[in-house]
Amino acid sequence: MTQHWLRHFFASAGLSKGVPVTDMAERLGHRDPRVTHETYAHVMPDAPGRLRALMDSVFTRETELSLPLEFEAVAQAA
C-alpha cells in the first residue's frame, strides 16, 4: 500500500458515494475540478441515474430539500 494508492482509494470511494467533484478536487489539491473528473469519471457511471432518482423523489415529495436562500448573491455575482 502506497500513498499514491491511498490517494486514489480516497478519491474513488468518495466520488463513488456521491461526494461532489468540486469538493474532492479541493481535497486532492486539484486547481481545476476537470482534472478530478477526467481522472475519476469511471467511478461515477451511475451519477446521472442518482440525479434522476433524486429529482423524481423531490417532485413526488418523497424527499424534501432544504436549500439556502442565497440566490440573490449568486445572481448579483453573475
Side-chain angles (χ1 to χ4, degrees):
M1 210 178 296
T2 65
Q3 284 183 330
H4 188 253
W5 183 90
L6 287 171
R7 178 182 171 87
H8 281 289
F9 176 78
F10 172 77
S12 297
L15 291 167
S16 71
K17 291 301 181 183
V19 173
V21 171
T22 51
D23 292 351
M24 191 57 69
E26 184 177 328
R27 298 259 191 263
L28 294 171
H30 294 163
R31 288 189 180 128
D32 188 341
R34 288 180 291 189
V35 171
T36 309
H37 185 265
E38 290 168 4
T39 304
Y40 296 101
H42 66 283
V43 301
M44 303 176 288
D46 65 336
R50 286 195 322 248
L51 177 59
R52 192 170 28 259
L54 171 64
M55 290 293 97
D56 286 346
S57 71
V58 168
F59 289 126
T60 59
R61 297 185 182 207
E62 294 172 30
T63 299
E64 184 177 324
L65 291 180
S66 176
L67 300 174
L69 297 177
E70 299 177 13
F71 296 115
E72 289 179 21
V74 172
Q76 290 173 358

